[in-house]
Amino acid sequence: MASPPTTTIHNPQLRLLNALRANAKPIMTFLGLPSFRTAQVVAQTGVDGIIIDCEHGHISDDAMHSSTAAIAAMGVSPLVRLRMTHADLIKRALDAGAHGIVVPMINTADEARTVVAHAKFPPQGLRGQGSAFAALAHGVDTGTYVRTANETLITALQIESKAGVENVDAICAVPGVDMLFIGPNDLALSLLGYVPAKGNEPEFVDAIEKIVAAARRHGKWVARLSNTEALSKEHLRVFDTVALSYDIRAMQNWYMAELKVARS
């Protein structure tokens, strides 16, 4: 596939971006717990990127800043999933040093253009500059960060509704959109009225295929959530990257498995 436009400058600190550029099939995960130490522990596992979940996770602005710094210091790429598309949320995540943003529920090209505008410095966008922290997580000085951020930050938009699927081609065509991220649970709710999807429902399968095809046509990366290691391996045959589960789910699964053996 053709690489997105945010790929012309090389920075070795940007682990996820570099792996995507190399078609190395990087693996991410979600962080939902507001702990500097949890962020460090998960970052040490070998994942390439961690999505700090400010949408559904227990993550405050302060915890987002701390987790971003902790993850980046471990040589892993921190991304922040926002609550909404508001400009102030985009600014806070990027000013904390996020290597990219994941924005939920994008349904139209206009919404995509709004996100991109607030994620880019002028003249490409409207983002303001003033953070002393963003450059630290990129391993550069502030001047270099401002000069290169527009070309090195990943803007990932979640397609997770019937409207998003219907408009996916127009969303993909927006300059500055780097990645589509499929939210399978909300997509299933929107299309099928229940979760989780069985995975073989024609409407659900067709929607995912349409999203992937649009991403390929427009030279965008495409990603999705994968709840298990087996699904991750399967999905990586199609997708450029996956988010393998969630810190909270990992803890629950470990305890349930161990308790089952202990009580047997």
Side-chain angles (χ1 to χ4, degrees), residues 68-212:
T68 298
I71 293 164
M74 299 292 290
V76 175
S77 287
L79 282 74
V80 174
R81 179 159 73 173
L82 311 176
R83 296 192 297 274
M84 296 179 71
T85 59
H86 290 176
D88 61 324
L89 299 178
I90 295 171
K91 180 190 295 185
R92 290 297 292 169
L94 296 180
D95 280 2
H99 291 187
I101 52 174
V102 180
V103 187
M105 286 292 179
I106 297 299
N107 297 316
T108 68
D110 283 342
E111 291 174 354
R113 278 188 284 270
T114 297
V115 170
V116 171
H118 292 294
K120 303 286 187 185
F121 289 122
Q124 287 85 5
L126 305 170
R127 182 184 172 193
Q129 194 279 321
S131 173
F133 308 118
L136 296 176
H138 288 242
V140 296
D141 59 80
T142 297
T144 300
Y145 175 82
V146 174
R147 287 193 303 274
T148 60
N150 285 0
E151 297 184 62
T152 55
L153 292 169
I154 297 169
T155 299
L157 306 183
Q158 286 198 238
I159 307 297
E160 47 188 346
S161 70
K162 187 174 183 179
V165 174
E166 290 172 349
N167 295 315
V168 69
D169 204 66
I171 291 168
C172 270
V174 174
V177 173
D178 302 305
M179 178 186 292
L180 298 186
F181 190 105
I182 296 175
N185 291 328
D186 279 323
L187 185 60
L189 273 176
S190 181
L191 296 175
L192 307 172
Y194 59 83
V195 291
K198 298 179 181 70
N200 60 357
E201 299 91 340
E203 190 174 4
F204 185 74
V205 172
D206 288 349
I208 290 178
E209 289 179 350
K210 184 176 179 180
I211 294 167
V212 172

Side-chain angles (χ1 to χ4, degrees), residues 232-245:
S232 292
K233 187 173 182 177
E234 177 185 333
H235 292 154
L236 284 171
R237 297 189 183 103
V238 175
F239 294 85
D240 299 296
T241 180
V242 297
L244 170 60
S245 196

